[in-house]
Each structure stands twice: as structure tokens, then as C-alpha cells.
Amino acid sequence: MKPRVFFYVQHLLGIGHVRRAATLARALASAGFDVLLVSGGAPLALDLGRARLHQLPPLRARDEGLRELSRLDGTPLDETFKAARTRELLELLRAESPAILVTEQFPFGRTQLRFELLPLLEAARALRPRPLLVASVRDVVRRTMSAERVAQTLELFRSFDLALVHGDPRLVPFERSFAGWAGIRDRAVYTGYVAEADGAAATIEEGRGDVVVSAGGGAVGRPLLDAAVEARSIGPLGDRRWRLLVGDNLPAAARAALPADPGIVVEPARPDFRGLLRNACLSISQAGYNTVVETLCCADRAVLVPFASERETEQLDRAELLAERGLVAVVSRQPLTGESLAAGIRSALGGPSLRSFPAFDLGGATATAEILRRHLS
């Protein structure tokens, strides 16, 4: 019988978490695991390969602050909703009786979901045989975590057998953002970055010499798109075609406001994004995990414009660490203007190509399957 994996993921604002979880679920299923991906965010079309999907009653972050949760229509969560969702989650866990329980980002994040995650962990510990308890976490966590919050994370992690850090320590060491590294390193394993299979970057003819501007899922991408339009008119590469890739979460009014210009192509996010990056002379994007991985895989030169707020420092920290190593140019969103973006473009064009650097560890999906199999045995 294939070992079962119960993989919990919750995306709140963007779609990066669930995309990475889907890539991992697909790789685990291909490696011989029976995987159930349990998603708690807005329903999305996902390529899961042989893995299965269970959609919980969806919720999201109420706004960019990520402090409060709501239903998809913005209605605040009530205790009835929380209780029903928790009950569904626990019934599903008992029915699956997995060999491995994976919580994506928890306990290093997703603390708003403790109302269901703490009962989930308790129920998992009560199963016989008890499943392997695994935390799946990105290369960077929120650096603004208070000392009290770090201590709480370490206390929660005592229940876990393993932390899978989906990064390469030569590029972004986890301890640069997580102050409690000393308390987890004996049970933490770097997997490498989780990237799509090479087939996802198949050669295409389209987009040679273009500038590709990608705004992720689009929920917080409007300032980047507006600045890109202005930068094209006043900065370098104004003679090139600029492709503005807008995500599903960009409001329709914001999309309609983008200019109709023969040198600007506005189109939805594309499945052949990596092929476009291979052909482009420059990538301009935010600094979310998935976009950065694709940039490291495929781009020639890159400008990162990280999303950041008082609490959310993940993209900013990742971008600055890459800039320290001379890989990318970074432009702040505070404030983001066409002039500041144009300056960042000049900096990227004057620096080395990403392709001139040694290869980074991008085998995180395959390595995750190997690590989990080894720990089970």
C-alpha cells in the first residue's frame, strides 16, 4: 500500500502557497505516495497529477494586512463557520489515517488558523500509528516576529518530527529571517527550491527581446503595473515590447485602466511564463517565492519590486539577500514611481546576467519525496 500524505495548505492573499503545495503534491504522488492536498483558500484550477484534492469551505485574508480572516465575500468568520470547518478537517484526517501529515507554513506562519490547526495536530498525535508530523516552510519567514512569537513557534514545533525548508542555504539562509533557528536545526532539512519540472520551461518563439512584467496573482500588483507603464516612457528599453502579465486577482477596473499601446501587451498570467523569461531581455516582478524561483531558473536580468508592509517582510528580505549577492536589482515600493523603476532597470542592465552565476539548488520537489521516504523508513 502506498504511504498516505495529508497535505494542508491555506492561501490567504496571493496564490503562491497553494501553487508550491501543488507542485510538491504532484512530485510526491509521482514518487509513489498517495497524496491528499487539503486546500482552505479560494478554489483554483490546479495541476495535481496523481494527487487528490479536498476543498475546505474557503476563507481568505480580509485585506493586505493579513491580520484578519474572512469568507470570500468579505464576511467576518464566526464561531459556527470555524467549528464546522474544523470538524470537517478532523473527520477527513481520521478517514485518511495518513502516514505523514504536512502543514504548509505552520507553525512558522498561518497562526490565524490555530483554531483548526491545533486540533488537527492533537488529532494526528492521537492516531495509531501516529503519522510523521512535518512542517513545510519557505526560505524566508516574517522577520518582524516578536521574541514571544518566536518562543511560541519553538514550543509548537516540539510536536513536529521535521521541518522541510524549501530553499538553498548558500543563497538564502533560513536563520537570516528566523531568530529561533538554533532550536529547530537538528530537525530541519533544506530541500532546495521547489521548481516546476523542466518541461514547464519548454522553448517557445514568442517574446524574444521583450520586457516581461509580472504582478503575481494581482491582488497587490497594481502599483507595479502603473510604474512599469511610466518607466517604459521615460527609461531604457522603451523601444522594446513590454508584456504586462496580470493575475486573476487584479480588479477588472484596474485592468481596464492599463493603456492601449502598440508597444505594450496586456495579457493574463501564462502557463509558459518560464519560456517567456528565457526569451526576455529583462524580468520585472514582485519577489514572491515562486516568481523568484522562476526568475533564477530562466531570466537573463531581473528587477524585483518586493511587496512589503509593517508586518510582512518576507519578499523584501528575499529580494535584499539576492541583491547582496549581485543577482538582481531591487526597487522599493515606498514609494514606487516610474522614475525609481527606471533607475532599477538601468542598474539591472549594468550588472551581470543571472546566467553567469553558478546553478542554484532547484530540486526541492524531488528531494522532498526522498527525504520523507527516508524518514518513514
Side-chain angles (χ1 to χ4, degrees), residues 128-341:
R128 294 294 179 269
R130 183 180 79 80
L132 189 72
L133 301 180
V134 179
S136 167
V137 64
R138 293 175 301 196
D139 56 341
V140 174
V141 293
R142 184 166 62 87
R143 174 177 38 81
T144 53
M145 238 186 252
S146 66
E148 180 182 6
R149 175 72 185 90
V150 171
Q152 291 172 351
T153 299
L154 293 175
E155 180 61 28
L156 287 169
F157 186 68
R158 290 178 60 184
S159 298
F160 286 79
D161 301 294
L162 184 65
L164 297 176
V165 181
H166 301 303
D168 182 340
R170 298 170 300 172
L171 195 62
V172 180
F174 193 63
E175 58 265 36
R176 286 286 295 268
S177 60
F178 183 59
W181 171 251
I184 71 163
R185 61 184 173 193
D186 60 333
R187 284 175 289 156
V189 181
Y190 284 99
T191 68
Y193 283 95
V194 176
E196 295 284 353
D198 288 341
T203 300
I204 62 173
E205 293 303 317
E206 197 172 357
R208 296 194 180 278
D210 290 357
V211 176
V212 175
V213 183
S214 54
V220 293
R222 174 68 188 273
L224 174 58
L225 297 173
D226 290 343
V229 170
E230 184 182 353
R232 181 178 184 272
S233 68
I234 63 173
L237 303 179
D239 59 335
R240 304 295 181 97
R241 181 192 297 112
W242 286 47
R243 291 183 178 273
L244 310 186
L245 304 183
V246 298
D248 293 338
N249 294 328
L250 183 72
R255 187 178 311 210
L258 293 171
D261 185 302
I264 298 176
V265 177
V266 180
E267 56 186 341
R270 295 173 48 149
D272 59 357
F273 176 62
R274 292 173 69 188
L276 286 178
L277 284 185
R278 286 196 188 282
N279 292 343
C281 67
L282 180 70
S283 168
I284 302 172
S285 69
Q286 297 181 110
Y289 181 97
N290 295 331
T291 301
V292 165
V293 169
E294 290 165 327
T295 299
L296 293 175
C297 282
C298 305
D300 180 14
R301 287 173 168 80
V303 177
L304 297 182
V305 185
F307 169 72
S309 66
E310 183 180 348
R311 291 184 74 248
E312 296 303 315
T313 58
E314 170 246 330
Q315 289 198 18
L316 179 61
D317 288 348
R318 180 181 296 114
E320 290 184 343
L321 283 166
L322 297 179
E324 280 180 18
R325 287 152 176 75
L327 293 162
V328 300
V330 175
V331 176
S332 172
R333 287 171 56 106
Q334 305 299 330
L336 175 60
T337 65
E339 289 185 0
S340 65
L341 184 56

Side-chain angles (χ1 to χ4, degrees), residues 300-301 326-327 345-354 356-357:
D300 180 14
R301 287 173 168 80
L327 293 162
I345 293 170
R346 294 187 189 94
S347 177
L349 295 177
S353 167
L354 278 165
S356 68
F357 289 86

